[in-house]
Amino acid sequence: MRAPKLGAFPTALSLPFPAVLLPPPPISRDPMRATAQWLHKMAADSEPESEVFEITDFTTASEWERFISKVEEVLNDWKLIGISSGKPLEKGVYTTGIWEEKSDEISFADFRFSITHHYLVQEASDKDGKEELVEDALPLSMQDLLCTNNDFPPRAHCLVRWYGLREFVVIAPAANNDAVLSESKCNLLLSSVSIALGNTGCQVPLFVQIHHKWRRMYVGECQGPGVRTDFEMVHLRKVPNQYTHLSGLLDIFKSKIGWPLTPLPPVSIAIRLTYVLQDWQQYFWPQQPPDIDALIGGEVGGLEFGKLPFGACEDPVSELHLATTWPHLTEGIIVDNDVYSDLDPIQAPQWSVRVRKADNPQCLLGDFLTEFFKLCRRKESTDEILGRSTFEEDGKEVADITHALSKLTEPAPVPIHKLSVTNMVHSAKKKIRKHRGVDDSPLNNEVLNTIMLFLFPDAADKLTDGSEARPSTSRNNPSPESEEYNLYSQFKSAPSDSLTYKLALCLCMINFYHGGVKGVAHLWQEFVVEMRRRWEKNYLIPGLANGPPDLRCCLLHQKLQMLNCCIERKQARDEGKKTYTSDCSPGDTGKAVDCSGGDYQKETGKERGEVGKSWESWSDSEEEFFECLSDTEELKGNGQENGKKGGTKEGIKESANLKPEGRLHPHGKLTLLHPGEPLYIPVTQEPAPMTEDLLEEQSEVLAKLGTSAEGAHLRARMQSACLLSDMESFKAANPGCCLEDFVRWYSPRDYIEEEVVDEEGNRVLKGELSARMKIPSNMWVEAWETAKPVPARRQRRLFDDTREAEKVLHYLAVQKPADLARHLLPCVIHAAVLKVKEEETLEDIASVKKIIKQIISHSSKVLRFPNPEDKKLEEIIAQIMSAEAIIARARSLKAKFGIEKCDQEEEKEDLERFVNCLLEQPEVSVTGAGRGPAGSIIHKLFVNAQRMTESSDEVATMTSLDDELKRSGSSDERRLNLGAVADFPPPAGRELILRITVPRPAPYSKPLPQRMYSVITKEDFRLAGAFSADTTFF
């Protein structure tokens, strides 16, 4: 066991005078305090010349002993004590295997250390138990020193690369800015390690990190049965000239071993020279810059609206590192000194290549996403960005219109704050031109017109023939059945052929190339004006699916769908009004009723093939209410009394005299219970479509009513508006009906039929309402009693399209660019994922496929909820940028290796496989070294780079390199053919591993492994030695 230096230990006992026999100290409850008092008294009673002596209690553990005890405790907890065993390492397992680590924290006084166990995960074998019985076997770490299967691993801990260890423990300062600098502290820690290893019998190497962490300086020790290995290190910033080659390093290694006999056994040598290729000028970057002018001409290019750009603007591969390796050499076979070297890279038996990625290469898709995401953090409104309020009030000019519109939408006015939507309607376009000239507009008219025609292609049809047509689906869009198309439901974005999706892409393009946030505000302003114009002119919005808002999409898409629903309802009313005035006499109410309630509804029902469709398809009502005087009097004379009497027989008789209205078609063979006439399905109003924010508001209102009986009753009444409308339509279509008839059509499960025997003995079906329908004063009974026989066309609209359209238009008008970006960011991410998938299919890269799956999974979780965290959104964008960079690197490498120009199919497949491995793996072996297809291309790259560095004149006079590479001959002949220019530059790094097994420290000692690793770069020189010694007799 190594003994610490004397200077590292405190003096235990200081006696300045001869020891004398003293009386015993008095007995006290506090021995230490009593002893101190006794010594003080004895000193006072002695002669004046005497001094007080000091006594240290050796029964109390010192901080150093506590530290050693903590190290031993950790080693015991990790079960690292005893003889270590394991199977021989396979080739390349340090790179392909799984490395794990576990850490703990210990302290020396108030100085904190972290202790970490690094180890390669290996499967347990049956042989392990037998190996444990061999007591004199060398520790695994000493066996690993001589193993050549894993020299120069491309990705591993530095100690693994320097010493070839599969398992080790490191003690390092816990804080990054702490360091062990003084020699005495280093010796103290090393002594602690030695004692801990000796006390526990641990055979795992234990290292201590010294000096600053950036220097990666480690010293350590490994102990076994009668053997010890010391791990030492030298690190210099300036390389000594005599040690830049093999001969000088051999001298160091031999002198360190201190071999007393001659001759020395041959030293085993492994050498790796690394060459760096940085000059790629002779190979143009394949990414074509985007053509900005192509936007206006409509050409297919990087800036075509509706398509996101893709690719790197600079070469994403900055350097190529070629490592030429001689794995098995013996001293004396080769010569490498300051005058001559036999180490020709072309003759190296092993070549391996790695590429260095450019730091954060500028990629088009990543820049688009990043800049668009920055919009989410802007706080300015559209008016503030464009300079002046676009929608200022004109006072009297629009006051009358505002008043008229308010009357039209009563009795439920839209709660608009200070901004009047009607003011926007009549002053938007005029204000835009008035406050901003053509030259001041962020977007010029040509760009703006191109975008608007892209968003609204039906406008071009209107310009040509005046008709309106929905745009066809783009050829490039995925089919609705495909997985790519249905991504919008996972991302909560919008379908890839929708207007919202196209708008997001256009805003993204405008933000990056045409004015930034000002261009976005300008385009959004024009978009809102177009929405208003389409509402007023009854033009459907293209690029939106029919039907109610799709809650799987983003809120902005739902709002546009809601506006389209309003336009459809408005169109249906206008069409119904034209049909009514042309086909029926306006003065004859009876004819009008017959026309609306007769065969026309049956034909409509047959054409649609569905039950209970909306009345707007044939309605002849006025704007919101049917206010015809004769019909109102008819309702007063008949309907009101019948509604009060409900389902009584008298009411049924009186209502049976009414003429049926609003019939769709008969309900099979069902008949009314009392009159016995056929039961007709009425034309009903469709439920009001709702967006997710309206549903949330409605649920909050209903929740605020509480759980009391009164609140529950009020909640039920609020939810029964549609039920009441359907009851009134049913009564109008089936005069003389009762509640049982309605239930048989509306909720058949609530009408129970049973077979009974009548008075004559015949079996007949007898039906009755279910138990819940018989509850006194239930909502169905109350609604039936309240309902009047009013056809759907005469009822108040369940869905007030005018009011809802104004609410949507106001919602769009008050959106800030930041709010707009938040709404459309899922669509932009959706488009980016589709773009990455499209580009990946051309390259077929496994790592990109994996990243795409991660992006989809992550985005589905993040974008599903409103207002996701910015940090999570940044992570998604970073993943997309990573996939784009990998694809760009693949294209760069394919262009540099000339894969597309390769004629032989087998060679082309090998090169493609080689390039894919470069993307996936940290280092790739070159098949055939410098003589294989990939090696020949790499050789050509280096030779061309060397020629470029000489002079452009010499490059112009040289013959074609391809012809020269086809010539046969030695490297010396090639050098003569190519002139004085070397094929490769000086190596950027030289790595050497020297190994030998010799007895040490004496010739009769046990032969033990000795190893020294050396790495030499331009500004770094490091020696890492592991020297073993026999400790049996030493």
Side-chain angles (χ1 to χ4, degrees):
M1 182 176 66
R2 177 186 299 174
K5 291 186 177 181
L6 293 177
F9 296 91
T11 303
L13 184 61
S14 178
L15 295 175
F17 50 88
V20 296
L21 188 60
L22 298 177
I27 299 175
S28 173
R29 292 184 178 178
D30 189 350
M32 297 298 295
R33 184 174 181 184
T35 303
Q37 294 174 355
W38 171 70
L39 289 174
H40 182 71
K41 182 178 181 181
M42 292 301 296
D45 294 342
S46 63
E47 295 180 3
E49 296 81 15
S50 65
E51 298 180 3
V52 178
F53 62 92
E54 179 183 355
I55 295 179
T56 301
D57 186 6
F58 285 98
T59 61
T60 305
S62 64
E63 293 290 347
W64 181 51
E65 292 171 319
R66 292 194 188 97
F67 176 72
I68 297 174
S69 176
K70 291 176 183 176
V71 174
E72 295 175 3
E73 183 181 349
V74 172
L75 295 179
N76 276 280
D77 291 342
W78 290 344
K79 300 179 181 179
L80 300 180
I81 59 175
I83 301 174
S84 59
S85 62
K87 58 183 179 180
L89 294 173
E90 298 177 358
K91 188 174 181 63
V93 69
Y94 283 176
T95 304
T96 59
I98 300 174
W99 287 87
E100 291 185 359
E101 62 180 56
K102 45 188 173 184
S103 300
D104 204 343
E105 193 168 290
I106 57 178
S107 59
F108 194 134
D110 57 348
F111 195 92
R112 294 183 301 108
F113 289 92
S114 66
I115 179 169
T116 307
H117 179 211
H118 302 265
Y119 59 97
L120 176 68
V121 179
Q122 291 181 282
E123 296 180 359
S125 61
D126 298 335
K127 299 180 181 180
D128 292 348
K130 298 179 182 179
E131 292 175 358
E132 291 180 0
L133 302 177
V134 183
E135 296 181 358
D136 295 335
L138 291 178
L140 278 180
S141 59
M142 293 188 184
Q143 300 176 30
D144 292 342
L145 294 178
L146 298 177
C147 180
T148 60
N149 288 336
N150 293 281
D151 290 345
F152 314 112
R155 181 183 296 168
H157 192 279
C158 60
L159 292 176
V160 177
R161 188 176 184 87
W162 297 339
Y163 296 114
L165 302 174
R166 73 179 78 181
E167 184 178 20
F168 54 92
V169 178
V170 178
I171 298 177
N176 291 328
N177 54 353
D178 289 340
V180 180
L181 300 177
S182 67
E183 185 178 358
S184 62
K185 290 182 180 179
C186 295
N187 290 331
L188 184 62
L189 286 174
L190 201 55
S191 300
S192 306
V193 167
S194 181
I195 295 172
L197 291 176
N199 291 343
T200 58
C202 175
Q203 294 187 0
V204 177
L206 209 161
F207 291 87
V208 175
Q209 186 170 12
I210 60 177
H211 293 285
H212 296 287
K213 290 196 172 184
W214 63 267
R215 297 191 65 180
R216 297 191 297 174
M217 288 283 291
Y218 297 89
V219 292
E221 187 174 309
C222 175
Q223 294 185 11
V227 294
R228 184 184 72 234
T229 300
D230 295 321
F231 298 93
E232 303 173 5
M233 195 168 294
V234 175
H235 181 223
L236 301 176
R237 298 301 299 270
K238 186 177 181 181
V239 184
N241 293 329
Q242 64 271 30
Y243 302 132
T244 57
H245 41 75
L246 175 61
S247 59
L249 295 173
L250 278 172
D251 294 340
I252 297 179
F253 186 56
K254 292 178 181 179
S255 64
K256 183 64 180 178
I257 293 174
W259 180 251
L261 302 178
T262 55
L264 186 70
V267 178
S268 176
I269 305 171
I271 301 177
R272 166 172 284 206
L273 304 182
T274 302
Y275 300 89
V276 178
L277 177 64
Q278 295 177 323
D279 190 3
W280 303 86
Q281 295 178 0
Q282 69 274 19
Y283 292 95
F284 295 103
W285 170 228
Q287 176 71 30
Q288 295 296 327
D291 185 7
I292 299 179
D293 297 332
L295 166 66
I296 305 303
E299 301 176 10
V300 178
L303 285 183
E304 182 182 1
F305 281 121
K307 292 185 178 180
L308 288 175
F310 190 88
C313 298
E314 56 182 325
D315 198 337
V317 180
S318 60
E319 294 177 356
L320 182 142
H321 292 197
L322 170 65
T324 58
T325 308
W326 291 262
H328 305 291
L329 294 176
T330 306
E331 180 188 4
I333 293 181
I334 62 167
V335 177
D336 181 41
N337 52 37
D338 55 351
V339 179
Y340 176 79
S341 176
D342 287 332
L343 300 176
D344 182 9
I346 293 294
Q347 303 298 328
Q350 293 181 6
W351 275 24
S352 58
V353 176
R354 68 168 65 193
V355 292
R356 183 177 178 182
K357 308 168 186 175
D359 296 332
N360 299 321
Q362 182 183 1
C363 296
L364 293 173
L365 182 61
D367 289 349
F368 267 56
L369 292 177
T370 304
E371 291 300 321
F372 191 79
F373 180 66
K374 290 179 181 178
L375 284 179
C376 300
R377 298 186 175 129
R378 301 295 292 260
K379 298 182 179 179
E380 306 94 331
S381 65
T382 303
D383 297 339
E384 293 170 349
I385 291 172
L386 296 179
R388 294 183 61 183
S389 177
T390 306
F391 303 112
E392 293 178 351
E393 294 186 5
D394 265 355
K396 294 182 180 179
E397 182 179 351
V398 293
D400 297 336
I401 302 174
T402 306
H403 187 61
L405 187 58
S406 299
K407 282 188 174 181
L408 180 63
T409 57
E410 285 178 356
V414 182
I416 301 175
H417 303 288
K418 296 181 179 180
L419 182 64
S420 172
V421 178
T422 312
N423 293 343
M424 290 192 299
V425 178
H426 299 279
S427 63
K429 295 182 180 179
K430 184 173 68 176
K431 291 287 184 181
I432 292 172
R433 275 68 178 181
K434 179 180 179 181
H435 289 179
R436 188 178 62 245
V438 177
D439 298 334
D440 299 333
S441 300
L443 298 178
N444 60 59
N445 288 336
E446 201 168 4
V447 174
L448 186 61
N449 291 337
T450 304
I451 298 172
M452 298 304 284
L453 285 177
F454 170 72
L455 295 176
F456 305 101
D458 59 337
D461 299 336
K462 292 192 187 76
L463 293 175
T464 55
D465 56 5
S467 61
E468 181 181 0
R470 286 187 178 270
S472 60
T473 304
S474 176
R475 295 179 183 178
N476 296 325
N477 288 325
S479 61
E481 293 80 12
S482 64
E483 182 181 354
E484 288 80 3
Y485 184 85
N486 293 322
L487 271 181
Y488 76 91
S489 61
Q490 300 181 47
F491 288 4
K492 201 172 178 61
S493 57
S496 55
D497 56 353
S498 65
L499 173 64
T500 312
Y501 186 91
K502 295 178 181 178
L503 176 64
L505 297 183
C506 289
L507 289 174
C508 192
M509 192 77 67
I510 291 299
N511 177 61
F512 196 82
Y513 283 114
H514 297 278
V517 67
K518 286 189 176 181
V520 170
H522 185 191
L523 177 58
W524 178 243
Q525 191 180 75
E526 295 290 342
F527 184 85
V528 174
V529 171
E530 176 66 17
M531 293 296 100
R532 165 65 66 178
R533 186 184 71 84
R534 286 179 175 270
W535 161 245
E536 292 180 343
K537 302 294 185 181
N538 277 7
Y539 293 151
L540 287 174
I541 304 172
L544 298 176
N546 293 325
D550 190 350
L551 301 182
R552 299 174 297 174
C553 300
C554 64
L555 182 59
L556 184 64
H557 187 79
Q558 296 178 38
K559 292 291 184 181
L560 296 179
Q561 282 185 304
M562 174 67 83
L563 184 59
N564 229 20
C565 290
C566 297
I567 296 174
E568 287 178 349
R569 298 290 178 94
K570 189 178 178 184
Q571 281 183 342
R573 285 204 319 277
D574 293 346
E575 289 296 327
K577 186 175 181 181
K578 291 177 182 178
T579 304
Y580 173 76
T581 54
S582 60
D583 295 347
C584 303
S585 174
D588 191 348
T589 307
K591 292 181 180 180
V593 172
D594 292 338
C595 180
S596 62
D599 295 336
Y600 178 74
Q601 291 89 329
K602 298 180 182 178
E603 294 175 1
T604 306
K606 291 179 182 178
E607 290 173 0
R608 296 195 176 189
E610 294 183 16
V611 177
K613 279 293 181 182
S614 173
W615 60 279
E616 283 89 340
S617 59
W618 56 274
S619 171
D620 61 348
S621 64
E622 294 297 329
E623 288 295 320
E624 280 196 61
F625 304 99
F626 186 84
E627 296 181 353
C628 179
L629 181 61
S630 60
D631 292 319
T632 305
E633 290 176 351
E634 182 182 355
L635 287 175
K636 288 182 179 179
N638 299 321
Q640 291 179 358
E641 295 180 2
N642 295 333
K644 292 179 181 179
K645 293 179 182 179
T648 60
K649 293 182 179 180
E650 296 178 359
I652 293 174
K653 291 180 180 179
E654 294 181 4
S655 61
N657 297 327
L658 295 175
K659 293 183 179 181
E661 294 183 90
R663 288 179 172 178
L664 190 60
H665 57 77
H667 189 297
K669 297 182 179 180
L670 286 182
T671 58
L672 300 179
L673 294 177
H674 297 293
E677 295 182 359
L679 188 150
Y680 282 87
I681 295 177
V683 176
T684 59
Q685 296 193 56
E686 290 184 356
M690 301 187 76
T691 57
E692 63 181 23
D693 59 335
L694 296 179
L695 289 173
E696 186 176 352
E697 291 177 7
Q698 187 184 63
S699 62
E700 289 179 358
V701 171
L702 296 177
K704 289 179 181 178
L705 296 177
T707 57
S708 61
E710 183 179 357
H713 184 74
L714 184 58
R715 187 185 301 109
R717 289 185 62 86
M718 292 176 63
Q719 294 175 319
S720 63
C722 184
L723 177 64
L724 181 61
S725 172
D726 293 341
M727 285 182 173
E728 291 184 342
S729 300
F730 188 83
K731 282 188 174 182
N734 299 280
C737 63
C738 60
L739 179 59
E740 286 80 357
D741 295 322
F742 178 77
V743 171
R744 289 164 64 204
W745 164 65
Y746 206 83
S747 179
R749 292 185 179 182
D750 285 310
Y751 188 78
I752 304 172
E753 292 183 333
E754 295 179 351
E755 283 190 358
V756 295
V757 180
D758 58 5
E759 297 176 354
E760 301 177 356
N762 299 324
R763 290 183 175 273
V764 295
L765 287 176
K766 183 179 181 182
E768 60 179 355
L769 296 175
S770 64
R772 77 182 186 106
M773 289 294 179
K774 294 180 179 180
I775 298 175
S777 301
N778 70 75
M779 185 53 58
W780 286 64
V781 175
E782 289 187 1
W784 183 259
E785 293 176 351
T786 308
K788 306 170 185 177
V790 181
R793 62 187 179 83
R794 296 177 182 270
Q795 298 172 8
R796 179 179 176 179
R797 287 180 285 172
L798 292 176
F799 176 61
D800 188 349
D801 52 74
T802 305
R803 179 171 176 266
E804 294 300 327
E806 295 296 341
K807 288 171 67 176
V808 171
L809 291 170
H810 173 68
Y811 177 86
L812 299 178
V814 299
Q815 293 296 302
K816 297 179 180 180
D819 302 330
L820 185 61
R822 288 280 181 185
H823 284 306
L824 295 178
L825 187 60
C827 296
V828 175
I829 293 177
H830 179 191
V833 171
L834 292 182
K835 186 65 176 179
V836 172
K837 293 188 74 171
E838 176 187 347
E839 300 292 335
E840 188 277 330
T841 53
L842 302 176
E843 308 298 335
D844 192 18
I845 306 172
S847 60
V848 177
K849 287 185 172 69
K850 184 177 179 181
I851 293 176
I852 291 174
K853 290 182 179 179
Q854 294 174 352
I855 294 173
I856 294 175
S857 176
H858 192 190
S859 302
S860 300
K861 298 175 183 177
V862 173
L863 301 177
R864 188 179 303 168
F865 303 99
N867 302 321
E869 297 179 8
D870 287 357
K871 185 178 180 181
K872 294 182 179 180
L873 293 173
E874 290 172 353
E875 292 175 356
I876 295 174
I877 295 175
Q879 287 179 310
I880 296 174
M881 294 172 65
S882 173
E884 181 185 19
I886 293 175
I887 295 175
R889 290 189 197 103
R891 292 176 176 174
S892 173
L893 292 172
K894 287 182 178 180
K896 290 174 174 59
F897 282 90
I899 293 179
E900 299 299 330
K901 299 178 182 179
C902 187
D903 297 332
Q904 299 181 4
E905 190 66 27
E906 184 178 354
E907 184 177 338
K908 183 177 182 180
E909 292 178 359
D910 292 340
L911 289 176
E912 287 181 349
R913 195 179 304 112
F914 177 74
V915 169
N916 289 334
C917 290
L918 280 177
L919 298 172
E920 306 284 344
Q921 303 173 13
E923 189 172 282
V924 181
S925 297
V926 180
T927 305
R931 296 173 178 80
S936 301
I937 294 175
I938 295 171
H939 182 202
K940 182 176 68 173
L941 292 174
F942 275 97
V943 173
N944 284 345
Q946 286 295 99
R947 291 182 179 183
M948 292 289 290
T949 55
E950 287 297 318
S951 65
S952 59
D953 297 336
E954 294 181 5
V955 173
T957 57
M958 287 182 181
T959 58
S960 172
L961 179 65
D962 295 332
D963 297 336
E964 293 172 8
L965 288 176
K966 294 178 181 178
R967 300 174 186 173
S968 60
S970 64
S971 60
D972 295 334
E973 293 176 355
R974 282 196 301 271
R975 289 176 184 175
L976 292 175
N977 292 334
L978 296 176
V981 181
D983 290 6
F984 292 88
R990 299 170 66 96
E991 296 176 271
L992 290 90
I993 299 178
L994 307 178
R995 298 183 182 91
I996 195 172
T997 302
V998 294
R1000 190 171 175 266
Y1004 51 83
S1005 298
K1006 185 186 227 181
L1008 296 173
Q1010 318 294 328
R1011 170 181 169 130
M1012 188 179 78
Y1013 170 89
S1014 171
V1015 56
I1016 304 170
T1017 61
K1018 188 177 181 180
E1019 296 181 351
D1020 191 79
F1021 175 77
R1022 186 184 299 273
L1023 296 177
F1027 303 100
S1028 306
D1030 188 351
T1031 60
T1032 304
F1033 302 106
F1034 299 93

